[in-house]
Amino acid sequence: MTLLDDLSGFEFEDVMEDVFRKLGYQNVRQSEKTGDEGRDILMEERVNGQRRGIVVECKHKDRVGRPVVQKLHSAVTTYDFTGPKRGIIVTTGSFTDQAREYTRKLRERGDGTEIQLIDGSDLREMADDVGLDLYNGRIEIVCDQTLRPIDPAGGVDKPVRDAFRDVANFDARTLSTVDSTVRFEPVVSVDARTDATFETSVGVIHRVDERDRLLLDASGDAPSVADGTIRQLVADGGQHTVRLDDPRIVDSFSRRTSDHFGQSETDYKEWTVDRLRAQYTTTVEYTGDNNVDYEKECEPQVSDVSIQSIDSVYVPRIRSRTTLKEYEYSLEYYAAGPSRSTVENGIGRCVHCGATWLKHTYCDNCGSINCRRHTRTERLEGEPVCTGCAVSDRFALRKRFFYDEENLATFREQYEDRPVHMKAMENKPMVASTVAMVLFAMLFLI
């Protein structure tokens, strides 16, 4: 196990804490660095519904003999834990025959303090199971699970069709083929407990006992807390994941990409510990035995923050595009099964001014989506037409809009055949104001 030789004893304990937590043991934490009485790591497991305490001794050395086993047996025996308990010795090297023989006798004795030995060969197998990089002693993230990118009840096209239902003059059922791509963005969920007690000669002056669940954006070079949108999606759909290579994902998206986790699982653990130590650091005022007031900065130690679990998952970010005549529309959103959060809605935006807060109408003439300010009624057919594609002319001093030159020419012929008073009706506001002015003049004269 020469690849771990550069680690100090304390660093090896850090690595093994990560390994045991990754293997599924519960409440994994390190004991105090000094005076640990042979207890480097404390953790628990559940067997047949009953909690069992485990004391771990880490030995970063070539050979481990019988005295280490005897010391751990004593530490397990005196460990204050309600319920059954056992011990584990893990080393980068090997165990002497005397150590293995003494361990066998303890097991045969059956006194409830069984000792398990894990040597360098066993450690290599464990490393493969949890993704431990033996070159740097850090656990790398291996993740193949993602929140569901597709609503099982509606398919990948459903969000696009839902967006088009808000557009007037468009039947979402006639929507053409939607092309969708997906990018899987990594997040890491960390559960931690901070348990710290601060004492002086007058007794306990401050205590922290808090549990935190942090969701981290894991795509960058440095971790950061994920925004509320992502946190809610993970909360909604985190229990329902699928593999990245699920056939339905492969068949539904024209392109699939996965962002890399920017750091190792160990890095996210260390970042979380540092953050929580800073978060719970506070200055406490207290009165000493001599009735003098003091201030003390209470900062949790690294050992006061225990990482309960680290889970990784991908959050799918989907971009769907569809083309309607001359225009292409896109919808971008994060998904978790039926839950989703829109990033950008190109369907709910006027193609001319970009307005998103007004009612939108589809122009069947050119395929554009327009707000009220850029939508007119086509004079010949009475259907909506946008100001961008329409041709126009003035009739009775009022501007009228048409699909094309052909419609304009047809209406112009109809207009020329009308009597004068009917031509004037093309500008009803002008006619109404003229009549009002005439009536007013007559009343004035009378």
Side-chain angles (χ1 to χ4, degrees), residues 189-341:
S189 176
V190 185
D191 285 323
R193 180 186 179 188
T194 306
D195 186 1
T197 301
F198 303 90
E199 296 183 76
T200 67
S201 59
V202 299
V204 176
I205 61 170
H206 183 60
R207 179 172 177 80
V208 178
D209 187 4
E210 299 288 346
R211 293 182 180 272
D212 293 274
R213 181 179 180 87
L214 280 70
L215 187 70
L216 308 182
D217 180 348
S219 58
D221 293 334
S224 61
V225 177
D227 65 32
T229 295
I230 302 300
R231 292 199 299 271
Q232 188 60 55
L233 283 175
V234 173
D236 291 342
Q239 302 301 315
H240 306 285
T241 62
V242 295
R243 288 176 56 89
L244 292 172
D245 59 359
D246 184 277
R248 190 173 184 189
I249 295 179
V250 175
D251 295 340
S252 298
F253 296 97
S254 60
R255 184 166 57 90
R256 305 171 306 280
T257 57
S258 302
D259 291 350
H260 295 293
F261 285 84
Q263 295 186 306
S264 70
E265 185 175 295
T266 309
D267 292 321
Y268 296 118
K269 168 205 164 184
E270 293 173 350
W271 184 90
T272 300
V273 170
D274 290 342
R275 178 185 176 89
L276 293 178
R277 289 181 64 201
Q279 177 177 322
Y280 292 115
T281 296
T282 186
T283 300
V284 176
E285 297 180 354
Y286 69 97
T287 302
D289 294 328
N290 55 359
N291 289 326
V292 175
D293 293 334
Y294 295 93
E295 288 187 351
K296 178 179 176 62
E297 183 181 65
C298 299
E299 179 183 14
Q301 300 296 313
V302 171
S303 58
D304 294 331
V305 182
S306 60
I307 303 300
Q308 307 295 303
S309 66
I310 297 181
D311 300 305
S312 55
V313 72
Y314 284 100
V315 178
R317 181 168 178 160
I318 298 166
R319 181 178 176 83
S320 295
R321 297 178 298 174
T322 187
T323 301
L324 300 176
K325 298 187 178 180
E326 301 174 18
Y327 291 88
E328 181 181 272
Y329 299 97
S330 65
L331 178 68
E332 192 167 357
Y333 59 94
Y334 288 104
S339 301
R340 63 179 181 270
S341 178

